[in-house]
């Protein structure tokens, strides 16, 4: 984790976090086997209406059984008890040249917590304050890691996955290969919470 200032790191402590080695290599292989068929039904695309995203394909995968279900159960404690993740994962497959541009997930479709498991390639997730773009936080996402964004980190900062040519974690070059992420979200509070 790298931050523009110690104050910012403190402010986002517990709100933006990364845990390396959340899934083992064996588990990662099983998860990929589970999601690849769904991904292969889609084509790689170069644009998206909501996020500045390129070089990607995606699918939604129900997690009622198998390794995905086991992962869902292990990710659930990252969510508030009364706001659990939806029983499906957003599976995002990014090409080595793909990126997810800075955005805030739609508050219409996504609740207070976002949790993502990264597979295959390392990448850098950058948060930037909407209020003061000088404030940023970077998370190094190793394959098999879990990241969680909640509260201010989810609502008051954009997040992005850096493209290969900008993929550095400080001095450390983080070469991008194909990356598959399983992203878990909860529902927003409705009209009648
Ligand atoms: C998204 C997103 C991040 C990731 O699809 O909204 O922010 O980990 N993805 O791929
Ligand atoms: Mn997002």
């Amino acid at each position: 984790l790298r931050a523009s200032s110690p104050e910012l790191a403190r402010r986002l402590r517990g709100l933006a976090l990364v845990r390396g080695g959340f899934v083992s290599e064996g588990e990662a292989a099983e998860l990929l086997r589970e999601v690849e068929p769904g991904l292969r039904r889609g084509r790689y695309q170069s644009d998206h209406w909501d996020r500045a995203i390129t070089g990607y394909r995606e699918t939604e995968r129900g997690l009622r059984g198998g390794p995905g279900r086991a992962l869902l159960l292990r990710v659930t404690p990252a969510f508030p008890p009364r706001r659990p993740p939806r029983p499906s994962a957003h599976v995002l497959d990014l090409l080595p040249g793909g990126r997810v541009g800075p955005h805030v997930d739609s508050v219409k479709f996504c609740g207070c917590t976002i949790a993502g498991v990264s597979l295959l390639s390392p990448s850098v997730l950058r948060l930037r304050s909407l209020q003061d773009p000088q404030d940023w936080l970077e998370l190094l996402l190793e394959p098999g890691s879990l990241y969680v964004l909640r509260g201010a980190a989810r609502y008051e900062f954009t997040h992005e996955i850096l493209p290969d040519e900008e993929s550095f974690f400080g001095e450390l070059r983080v070469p991008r290969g194909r990356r598959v992420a399983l992203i878990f979200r909860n529902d927003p509070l409705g009209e009648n919470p």
Side-chain angles (χ1 to χ4, degrees), residues 5-185:
S5 71
E7 291 71 30
L8 186 80
R10 214 168 305 132
R11 189 177 145 210
L12 292 184
R13 187 168 302 157
L15 303 179
L17 51 100
V18 61
R19 252 171 71 189
F22 189 74
V23 305
S24 67
E25 279 178 32
E27 214 180 332
E30 283 186 17
L31 287 164
L32 282 166
R33 256 198 306 279
E34 185 175 345
V35 301
E36 283 280 11
L39 286 172
R40 276 200 291 268
R41 282 195 284 274
R43 289 165 184 268
Y44 284 104
Q45 303 174 55
S46 63
D47 228 330
H48 186 276
W49 60 276
D50 188 25
R51 298 161 291 166
I53 180 171
T54 62
Y56 76 103
R57 57 187 183 178
E58 62 189 345
T59 182
E60 193 75 19
R61 168 80 201 188
L63 300 174
R64 311 237 172 236
R69 166 82 186 158
L71 181 63
L72 174 68
L73 292 176
R74 292 180 50 219
V75 165
T76 297
F79 288 73
R82 302 186 55 189
R83 298 280 152 205
R86 291 193 279 259
S88 66
H90 170 205
V91 185
L92 181 64
D93 178 352
L94 268 188
L95 289 170
R99 73 178 304 171
V100 180
H103 69 283
V104 176
D105 281 26
S106 163
V107 294
K108 261 196 218 152
F109 303 114
C110 171
C112 60
T113 304
I114 301 166
V117 171
S118 303
L119 305 174
L120 294 178
S121 170
S123 59
V124 179
L125 180 76
R126 181 193 285 149
L127 308 190
R128 196 181 286 285
S129 168
L130 288 166
Q131 203 195 327
D132 185 352
Q134 310 270 41
D135 286 344
W136 55 262
L137 189 79
E138 287 173 357
L139 280 62
L140 177 61
L141 306 180
E142 305 269 18
S145 67
L146 169 77
Y147 70 85
V148 180
L149 304 179
R150 55 166 75 100
R154 179 258 184 272
Y155 292 110
E156 296 170 27
F157 288 71
T158 61
H159 57 270
E160 63 189 299
I161 298 284
L162 301 182
D164 186 56
E165 65 272 18
E166 293 168 32
S167 191
F168 286 86
F169 187 67
E171 303 283 286
L172 179 70
R173 163 87 175 129
V174 181
R176 282 272 319 282
R178 178 184 173 219
R179 169 179 179 270
V180 172
L182 277 69
I183 304 164
F184 301 86
R185 299 182 174 90

